[in-house]
Amino acid sequence: MVSSPATKLSDWLLAAKHRSFVGRTEELALGRRWFLSDEPPFSLLYIFAPGGVGKTTLLHEYAHLAAQSGLRVLWVDGRSTPQPSPQGFFQALHQAGGPGLPEDLDHCVLLVDTFELLTPLHSWFQEHFLPGLSRHCRVVVAGRTPPNPDWQTDLAWREVVQIISLRNLRPDESQALLTRLGVPPEHHATALACTHGHPLALVLVADLLKQRPADDPFDLARAPDVVRVLVERFARDIPTAKHRRALEICAHARVTTEALLSDVLGPEEGRAAFAWLRGLSFIEHAPDGLFPHDLVRDALEADLRWRNFDDYRQMHRQVRQHIVRHLLDSSGIEQQRAFFDLLYMHRRQPLMQPYYEWKSMGSVYAEPATTHDHPAILEMVQRHEGPESAQIAAYWLQRQPQAFMVIRSAARTGPAGFIANLLLHTVDPEDEAADPAIRAAWAYVRRYGPLRAGECILHHRFWMSSASYQDVATHNLVSGVAVGLYFATAHLAWAFPSGTHPEFWEPLFAYINFRRAPEADFEVGGRRYGVFAHDWRVEPPHLWLEVMGERELDLELKLEPLVSPAPAPLLVLSQPEFVEAVRHALRDINRPGALAANPLLRSRVLHDHAGPTPGPEALQSLLRAAAKSLTTTPKDEKLYRALYHTFLQPAPTQEAAAELLDLPFSTYRYHLGKAIERVANWLWQRELHGYPANGESAGQSGS
């Protein structure tokens, strides 16, 4: 017995699809008007979107609407077309019940799904098939790739083509789908956060969430089966392994440029991969590069990290190296963008997530304030901090106008906020009397690490947005400007970030190795401001960047806040003190007990050379390396021999050493003095600028 059409499984499935359909209100309204119109306003509707967004589901709903409107419906799927040729297309059309010739398609709706598989047919489809259709035939094309540019730039085609870039479901539509799938309301926020409204992802996580306790957090990275399905949809038909790596880089970086891809993949491969990425439907274009849809980014990141963490780490470091080079080579707004790129590498670090507005990065910028901005700056301070604070801001606008930067936004004409970073080589009584913040910071410096000649401190004195004072969105730019100064400021000793609610910011500053410094706190107008501190002589910017690079990948990292007062891990000696310590160390080089009391044990150069807990043996090794620096040229050999027979393998007396060297005693003493001076300078340069981490030969004098 043959089943009637009403009882076929296919009809049952189509009815179920219609009942479960949610959202797409605007697209359905457009289709309904189009199908009911006696004179259709356009002939072709082109829909493109990434895999899983719901193109096929929408086409099924269009088929339902068309049938209700009395139109004949024909469905051609690129996956079932015998071959991507005109003959193959007509064969698929005939199998769908269509006529033999295009002009016979009248008062019908032709739905063409998976159009990206028919790429070789695009020109024929546009130039021959479509022009031959009846005026009253409506064609809906759905695929992953954007339409041929001619359909948007050709004035004739613009009149007959309507283009829809199908997006994820809106929050209300996503919640309606979750409800239909039986997900309890308490899980809706979690589902929306990890799927970003992507229909397929919502369906996949629904079963996982239905049986999950309300207080059990869900993370896409811990659902590899869901991620696998999503990645298969997004990453289908990737041409080569280099293209896949380009896609993974694009998911990892804040924005992807051709320069980044060329740096990692090579110039030719990078150029080709960038052009390929631009054509993908789930890739967005920003003023400073390309970036993927949020769910694509999350799925690709979770997949690679779970599947091959070593490969993930290697890619991370390659991308990071490119960003760091760009950061150090740029300035101004370009450097701020580079900082956002670097900061974005921390976005999955739980300790960093609450302190930055990740989606708004790059939407504002900072530039030097002009005299026209001063009234707005003072008004902001007056409104948010009061008249006493505004008086202090006015003082520094007079003393250091170059310290002030205004935050600009396209959303408003005036300053959206401002930042004031005071750079001080010394502090006079007038500064201390005018500003309690500087008075407290200067006392802290005198106690915990006085400045050497030429050194300076940086006090992040004011920062705020006009609308919401010290919020995390403004902190994006504050951090970027600060890091730029850390690398650009010569002989920077201390940095002092300050602000209200230090207890909120404490975990962030522990993560970036800034110590809570209550002794540097200050009060203005009855409000107390908390201060953090970092001594850049103890941990210079390039070493700090390396530490941050390792922390980016450690998602289980736990840190205790660093709080002063506490003994500094390293001593910050003046140059005369340092040279005197070197003299004593050379004298005691063969007496470990005496070396144990030498201040060089807490010097930066020794810690760079031997690690965090060096002993007398490490200091002996460092001194011998410094002495060996005198052996690189023949003219310095005489200095080395004087040092060798006096300290390293000492003669009984200095007179005996001079006799062993066959030198007059005065000449011997001159050589010894020059040798000590050269060794002290060799060590001092490494104390100031860091001991080479690349295994530089001790024979390189660097003097």
Side-chain angles (χ1 to χ4, degrees):
M1 178 178 178
V2 178
S3 299
S4 65
T7 60
K8 286 182 179 179
L9 180 58
S10 60
D11 293 333
W12 185 15
L13 290 172
L14 288 173
K17 287 179 184 292
H18 174 65
R19 288 193 302 271
S20 63
F21 189 87
V22 298
R24 308 300 188 197
T25 306
E26 295 177 4
E27 290 82 0
L28 291 182
L30 174 68
R32 192 175 290 109
R33 292 193 303 271
W34 189 34
F35 298 147
L36 290 174
S37 174
D38 291 333
E39 293 295 328
F42 55 91
S43 296
L44 173 66
L45 180 60
Y46 192 105
I47 303 169
F48 69 101
V53 169
K55 301 182 294 296
T56 300
T57 303
L58 179 60
L59 256 60
H60 279 297
E61 199 63 14
Y62 276 158
H64 176 79
L65 289 176
Q68 283 189 323
S69 304
L71 298 173
R72 183 185 180 191
V73 177
L74 299 172
W75 187 295
V76 173
D77 194 322
R79 291 170 295 186
S80 57
T81 302
Q83 56 182 346
S85 66
Q87 295 78 12
F89 185 84
F90 277 121
Q91 185 177 343
L93 184 61
H94 180 72
Q95 291 172 347
L101 298 174
E103 55 265 28
D104 295 332
L105 291 170
D106 192 17
H107 289 88
C108 71
V109 174
L110 172 60
L111 304 169
V112 184
D113 198 9
T114 327
F115 192 61
E116 70 273 10
L117 297 183
L118 303 176
T119 300
L121 282 181
H122 283 197
S123 295
W124 170 82
F125 193 77
Q126 178 182 352
E127 297 170 9
H128 298 283
F129 179 76
L130 291 176
L133 295 178
S134 163
R135 171 75 176 83
H136 293 90
C137 177
R138 299 157 176 86
V139 180
V140 183
V141 170
R144 296 187 175 203
T145 56
N148 189 319
D150 289 348
W151 289 355
Q152 296 173 286
T153 58
D154 186 282
L155 296 180
W157 275 109
R158 283 173 65 92
E159 290 188 15
V160 298
V161 176
Q162 183 84 13
I163 298 171
I164 294 177
S165 175
L166 200 62
R167 319 304 288 177
N168 290 353
L169 296 175
R170 298 195 306 266
D172 58 327
E173 296 172 335
S174 299
Q175 289 180 311
L177 178 58
L178 290 168
T179 299
R180 190 156 293 179
L181 293 169
V183 178
E186 58 267 25
H187 283 309
H188 285 190
T190 298
L192 265 63
C194 70
T195 65
H196 306 282
H198 187 275
L200 176 60
L202 286 166
V203 172
L204 292 173
V205 303
D207 288 335
L208 297 176
L209 292 173
K210 280 191 287 190
Q211 307 301 323
R212 205 177 194 89
D215 58 351
D216 187 6
F218 176 79
D219 184 359
L220 195 64
R222 298 180 181 176
D225 290 339
V226 172
V227 169
R228 177 182 56 78
V229 174
L230 293 173
V231 169
E232 286 175 355
R233 288 295 183 101
F234 298 141
R236 194 182 72 190
D237 302 327
I238 296 179
T240 68
K242 287 285 182 74
H243 287 81
R244 185 177 187 95
R245 177 43 52 98
L247 188 55
E248 290 166 345
I249 290 170
C250 191
H252 193 60
R254 183 181 72 89
V255 291
T256 297
T257 62
E258 186 177 303
L260 169 58
L261 293 178
S262 296
D263 205 4
V264 178
L265 304 177
E268 292 299 323
E269 293 86 348
R271 191 177 303 112
F274 186 80
W276 172 74
L277 284 173
R278 293 180 72 175
L280 298 179
S281 58
F282 52 77
I283 297 296
E284 304 276 359
H285 294 209
D288 47 352
L290 306 176
F291 66 95
H293 291 176
D294 290 336
L295 182 65
V296 179
R297 185 191 292 280
D298 292 347
L300 288 169
E301 279 272 276
D303 177 63
L304 180 57
R305 189 180 182 105
W306 171 82
R307 178 168 46 83
N308 190 337
F309 184 74
D310 289 342
D311 190 31
Y312 178 85
R313 176 165 34 213
Q314 180 186 11
M315 176 194 68
H316 171 87
R317 288 174 175 168
Q318 290 173 321
V319 172
R320 194 176 193 278
Q321 286 171 2
H322 171 86
I323 293 171
V324 168
R325 281 197 297 272
H326 189 200
L327 176 73
L328 299 181
D329 293 342
S330 58
S331 61
I333 295 173
E334 191 66 24
Q335 187 178 64
Q336 293 166 27
R337 287 176 176 165
F339 170 76
F340 292 145
D341 292 339
L342 185 62
L343 180 61
Y344 198 75
M345 307 292 276
H346 293 266
R347 70 191 179 282
R348 303 200 183 280
Q349 172 53 255
L351 293 173
M352 289 282 274
Q353 286 175 353
Y355 299 103
Y356 294 94
E357 179 56 58
W358 303 98
K359 290 184 180 297
S360 66
M361 287 181 179
S363 61
V364 296
Y365 63 94
E367 65 181 8
T370 68
T371 54
H372 296 294
D373 298 313
H374 291 187
I377 289 172
L378 294 176
E379 185 279 327
M380 271 185 256
V381 181
Q382 172 94 18
R383 177 157 43 93
H384 289 301
E385 295 186 355
E388 292 181 34
S389 196
Q391 185 177 356
I392 295 170
Y395 174 83
W396 289 114
L397 278 169
Q398 289 293 321
R399 296 276 283 191
Q400 281 198 33
Q402 72 278 10
F404 287 76
M405 301 188 74
V406 289
I407 300 172
R408 304 287 189 196
S409 167
R412 56 182 296 153
T413 54
F418 84 96
I419 308 162
N421 295 305
L422 303 176
L423 194 61
L424 302 166
H425 290 81
T426 186
V427 172
D428 60 35
E430 185 182 358
D431 295 334
E432 294 192 82
D435 192 348
I438 301 306
R439 184 166 62 248
W442 201 246
Y444 185 93
V445 168
R446 286 196 297 265
R447 179 171 185 180
Y448 291 105
L451 300 188
R452 301 163 174 146
E455 292 180 338
C456 59
I457 70 169
L458 186 64
H459 201 295
H460 305 287
R461 182 59 182 87
F462 295 99
W463 66 277
M464 63 188 69
S465 76
S466 179
S468 49
Y469 192 39
Q470 293 181 346
D471 58 3
V472 294
T474 306
H475 188 246
N476 286 358
L477 200 53
V478 172
S479 299
V481 171
V483 170
L485 288 171
Y486 298 154
F487 284 93
T489 305
H491 307 300
L492 178 61
W494 289 95
F496 292 100
S498 65
T500 55
H501 307 298
E503 66 283 351
F504 169 74
W505 299 99
E506 213 161 32
L508 167 67
F509 282 104
Y511 179 84
I512 63 172
N513 282 356
F514 276 59
R515 183 176 294 277
R516 178 73 175 92
E519 292 173 70
D521 288 358
F522 59 95
E523 188 173 308
V524 177
R527 178 185 293 186
R528 191 157 187 83
Y529 297 82
V531 177
F532 297 84
H534 187 84
D535 188 339
W536 290 109
R537 299 165 299 186
V538 173
E539 186 182 46
H542 70 280
L543 294 180
W544 177 76
L545 267 186
E546 290 178 12
V547 172
M548 295 301 105
E550 291 304 312
R551 290 183 178 179
E552 291 163 358
L553 295 172
D554 186 359
L555 303 189
E556 305 298 325
L557 182 68
K558 298 188 186 307
L559 294 168
E560 292 296 325
L562 304 171
V563 182
S564 291
L570 302 181
L571 285 178
V572 180
L573 300 172
S574 66
Q575 187 174 13
E577 291 171 331
F578 186 89
V579 171
E580 187 63 22
V582 171
R583 289 182 181 276
H584 284 286
L586 287 170
R587 183 194 64 196
D588 298 330
I589 191 170
N590 294 311
R591 297 191 297 157
L595 283 180
N598 193 289
L600 292 180
L601 281 179
R602 292 172 59 193
S603 67
R604 170 188 168 189
V605 62
L606 183 60
H607 282 238
D608 284 356
H609 173 71
T613 56
E617 298 81 4
L619 182 52
Q620 288 174 322
S621 170
L622 177 63
L623 291 169
R624 293 181 187 279
K628 196 174 180 182
S629 70
L630 299 173
T631 64
T632 55
T633 61
K635 69 176 184 177
D636 288 338
E637 282 284 348
K638 56 191 177 185
L639 305 183
Y640 175 74
R641 288 197 299 270
L643 199 72
Y644 181 85
H645 289 297
T646 306
F647 300 124
L648 305 183
Q649 291 293 329
T653 64
Q654 289 194 357
E655 288 78 2
E659 185 176 345
L660 186 63
L661 294 169
D662 194 22
L663 291 173
F665 187 70
S666 60
T667 305
Y668 156 77
R669 290 286 295 173
Y670 175 79
H671 288 175
L672 180 61
K674 291 296 291 183
I676 294 173
E677 179 185 327
R678 291 282 295 277
V679 165
N681 185 57
W682 189 92
L683 292 166
W684 177 247
Q685 293 304 316
R686 282 148 182 78
E687 175 74 5
L688 290 179
H689 306 297
Y691 196 94
N694 60 356
E696 174 193 303
S697 169
Q700 294 174 310
S701 70
S703 59

